[in-house]
Amino acid sequence: MDVLVIVVLVIVVALVFDFTNGFHDTANAMATSVATGALKPRTAVLISAVLNVVGAFLSTEVAKTVSQGIIREGQDGVHISPTMIFAGLVGAGLWNLATWYLGLPSSSTHALFGGLIGASIIGAGLNSVDWATVVSKVVLPALVSPVIAGVIALVATYLAYTLTKNATTHGAATGFRHGQTVSASLVSLAHGTNDAQKTMGVITLTLIAANYQDGGTGPALWVILACGLAIGLGTYMGGWRIMQTVGKKISDVQSPQGFAAETSSAATILISSHLGFALSTTHVTSGSVIGSGLGKKLADVHWSVVGRIVVAWVITLPAAAVVGGLATWLASTSVIGLVLVAVLALAGGMTFYFLAKRKPISHEDITTGSTEPTEQAEPQSAGATN
């Protein structure tokens, strides 16, 4: 099949993945704000969508990590073909849809890298992957960033409740809810700065692999714009299934906790984006919410839910790698194999969509039953069990 056709196919699939990344990760920015009532659901996703687009233009360091760091470059160019990149995106996209259906805040970042690594190993061998970069800029940030964000959120939450006498001081709860508007917006901006760049890096890698762009160069303006709009549109669709998990099931978040979690998440993500670390904003946000739950009387976390989330974190990269590898093996056999992978990917995506339609979750499932305290009421702990 003509290289140009495959490149166009990869770009389309990459933008579809970027779209799924948007609604998959809406919870990262807005789950706690919606859960506490600081922002109305549709207002929250609109703000998040716009700031995701803006954030896409702020930096390209993470995009360069993806396009220049993960896959090795040899004398004959990068050790991966557009067909392999297409297969890797299939693995990442299907994993995103599966975890979205299950309401698990898994990492779109690790799904993407897992798909690409699996495709590259099957298509070009183990040496095609720069394992040092994978460890230093993907694995280590994945281990460290949620811990750092969680500790910051824990301390900030504890101080917030202590300094405001458990948020019963006049105006304290309202003040924290207003503060969440700013902190949630910062997380959205940070998410666009980090996650939109990953798809930019994939498209740039594809153009380099197909010799349509020089090696060592960053994403073109049209790539930045397209990826920013795709992730922004996906964000506006609202990922209510995962938002329910982050905003309600990890810890019954209240406004002081939400403000602390969002502020620590935004700071961690923005600093990491500047350094070119392709970390998971999902890991950071979930770590912050756990920390904020611990900071409130050191007990307000539903550990059974956390356990399921951690399992999803651990298996995301290898699971996407397996699917990406299998898709590469099939797509590389012939044109028929490539078409078959595309058809199977579409069928898989539609299956998850229709399954979700049978058990819909809306913003009402997040906003109803909130235990957010009033100015005069003593906040109640949600307890450590479901």
Side-chain angles (χ1 to χ4, degrees):
M1 187 178 291
D2 186 80
V3 173
L4 179 60
V5 175
I6 299 177
V7 169
V8 171
L9 179 62
V10 170
I11 292 173
V12 171
V13 176
L15 293 177
V16 170
F17 169 79
D18 209 24
F19 176 82
T20 68
N21 191 351
F23 70 73
H24 194 280
D25 289 2
T26 307
N28 293 346
M30 292 299 174
T32 54
S33 292
V34 172
T36 63
L39 288 169
K40 293 181 178 179
R42 279 300 168 191
T43 302
V45 295
L46 177 60
I47 292 173
S48 186
V50 171
L51 290 175
N52 264 284
V53 177
V54 174
F57 286 87
L58 296 184
S59 173
T60 57
E61 292 304 315
V62 174
K64 292 177 182 176
T65 297
V66 177
S67 63
Q68 302 172 23
I70 302 297
I71 308 300
R72 293 186 186 276
E73 280 199 54
Q75 294 180 350
D76 54 346
V78 293
H79 292 168
I80 193 169
S81 68
T83 299
M84 297 178 204
I85 297 172
F86 165 73
L89 285 168
V90 167
L94 288 177
W95 183 256
N96 255 9
L97 290 172
T99 50
W100 163 74
Y101 169 69
L102 295 172
L104 290 173
S106 69
S107 171
S108 297
T109 300
H110 290 177
L112 177 59
F113 290 156
L116 289 176
I117 289 171
S120 185
I121 290 173
I122 296 300
L126 283 170
N127 291 331
S128 63
V129 179
D130 190 335
W131 296 106
T133 300
V134 171
V135 171
S136 63
K137 291 201 171 185
V138 178
V139 176
L140 289 180
L143 297 175
V144 174
S145 59
V147 176
I148 293 175
V151 170
I152 295 173
L154 186 154
V155 174
T157 301
Y158 179 78
L159 290 175
Y161 276 107
T162 300
L163 295 176
T164 61
K165 297 179 182 180
N166 288 336
T168 58
T169 301
H170 179 69
T174 300
F176 279 119
R177 281 195 290 269
H178 289 319
Q180 277 193 271
T181 302
V182 177
S183 59
S185 298
L186 284 174
V187 178
S188 296
L189 188 69
H191 182 262
T193 304
N194 199 281
D195 275 43
Q197 289 190 59
K198 292 154 191 171
T199 308
M200 294 179 208
V202 170
I203 293 176
T204 302
L205 178 64
T206 303
L207 295 173
I208 292 172
N211 295 317
Y212 289 125
Q213 185 170 325
D214 294 333
T217 56
L221 179 61
W222 71 267
V223 175
I224 298 174
L225 179 61
C227 292
L229 291 175
I231 199 170
L233 181 59
T235 301
Y236 182 71
M237 298 300 292
W240 309 119
R241 307 182 79 86
I242 297 176
M243 198 178 290
Q244 183 187 49
T245 300
V246 176
K248 286 291 186 182
K249 293 184 178 180
I250 295 177
S251 176
D252 198 0
V253 178
Q254 297 174 0
S255 51
Q257 297 168 270
F259 178 74
E262 290 161 357
T263 303
S264 62
S265 296
T268 304
I269 296 167
L270 286 171
I271 293 172
S272 298
S273 298
H274 177 71
L275 297 174
F277 293 146
L279 54 71
S280 166
T281 55
T282 302
H283 288 190
V284 172
T285 305
S286 300
S288 295
V289 173
I290 292 170
S292 70
L294 291 173
K296 181 191 174 188
K297 298 184 179 180
L298 302 178
D300 194 17
V301 174
H302 303 156
W303 291 109
S304 61
V305 177
V306 173
R308 291 195 293 270
I309 292 172
V310 171
V311 170
W313 287 1
V314 172
I315 66 175
T316 288
L317 195 150
V322 169
V323 178
L326 290 173
T328 297
W329 173 77
L330 182 57
S332 299
T333 57
S334 64
V335 174
I336 295 176
L338 180 64
V339 173
L340 184 58
V341 169
V343 171
L344 290 174
L346 180 61
M350 294 304 294
T351 298
F352 287 120
Y353 173 77
F354 285 114
L355 285 174
K357 293 285 286 185
R358 293 176 61 183
K359 295 182 179 180
I361 293 177
S362 70
H363 61 81
E364 294 178 354
D365 296 297
I366 306 166
T367 55
T368 56
S370 175
T371 59
E372 176 70 16
T374 63
E375 301 293 346
Q376 290 78 29
E378 184 76 16
Q380 299 177 351
S381 171
T385 60
N386 288 317

